[in-house]
Amino acid sequence: MLGCKRSVLIHFPSYLILENPMKLSILFQRFSRLAGFAAVLLIVPVAVACTGEAPEAASDTTAETAPEPTESEETAAAASDTIVDVAVANGSFDTLVAAVQAADLAGTLSAEGPYTVFAPTDDAFAALPEGVLDALLLPENKDTLTQILAYHVVPAEVPASAVETGAVASVAGEDLNLVADGSGVMVNDATVITADVMASNGIIHVIDSVLLPPSLDLSAL
């Protein structure tokens, strides 16, 4: 805004100045009082307009940051995959995954559970007698394959810390013999080489050999 001062010019008719100076003096006094009052009314808002400044809006300097994930949230995210998902992603259970799919058990092991799976590695399957694995994957031997795989599953979530020496029932209906001591955990003749691989519907314990139900006769394949 350029300048705020205002001047008020007062013009009187010339005949008043020339003919009646006394009357002019009286008019001037009255007009001065009115003009002074009017000037006050005019000056007040002008002064406010000249000096008043709009308050600056407070800047919001608070940065919005995403909350850090808690430890429980990270653990939940790490265990968001099912047992089948974990086995597929691991890379050491290709043969087990192929067997589960051949036996149509992928849906069962992806269900709510919970389950504990003693999972043989690819090397463990490779150690089976020659020709046994190929025979188990044939469609006509699906029932036998299903029996073997079910023998590796316990219908409960059993972390390594909860394992006790003794027999535990498998999904196949035959018992597994567990041994827990200071050196680790054994299942029948297999050793748990990696324990407590968490999944959303249970736990995987990695073992170094394939578990065969006592009632199974491999020679019948």
Side-chain angles (χ1 to χ4, degrees), residues 167-212:
V168 60
S170 71
V171 172
E174 298 186 64
D175 288 346
L176 296 167
N177 295 312
L178 304 181
V179 176
D181 55 28
S183 61
V185 176
M186 292 192 66
V187 186
N188 294 356
D189 294 328
T191 300
V192 174
I193 56 178
T194 303
D196 297 341
V197 179
M198 303 304 296
S200 62
N201 61 338
I203 297 177
I204 297 173
H205 299 308
V206 184
I207 56 177
D208 61 358
S209 62
V210 177
L211 306 174
L212 297 175

Side-chain angles (χ1 to χ4, degrees), residues 91-170:
S92 297
F93 304 114
D94 292 345
T95 306
L96 176 61
V97 171
V100 167
Q101 292 172 342
D104 291 330
L105 292 178
T108 300
L109 293 178
S110 296
E112 184 176 355
Y115 302 109
T116 296
V117 175
F118 295 97
T121 62
D122 291 338
D123 290 340
F125 277 102
L128 288 171
E130 186 177 356
V132 169
L133 179 59
D134 291 337
L136 287 172
L137 295 176
L138 294 174
E140 58 265 30
N141 293 321
K142 180 179 177 180
D143 290 344
T144 302
L145 178 61
T146 300
Q147 181 186 3
I148 292 173
L149 294 176
Y151 189 58
H152 290 76
V153 181
V154 173
E157 188 172 277
V158 185
S161 60
V163 173
E164 297 180 354
T165 299
V168 60
S170 71

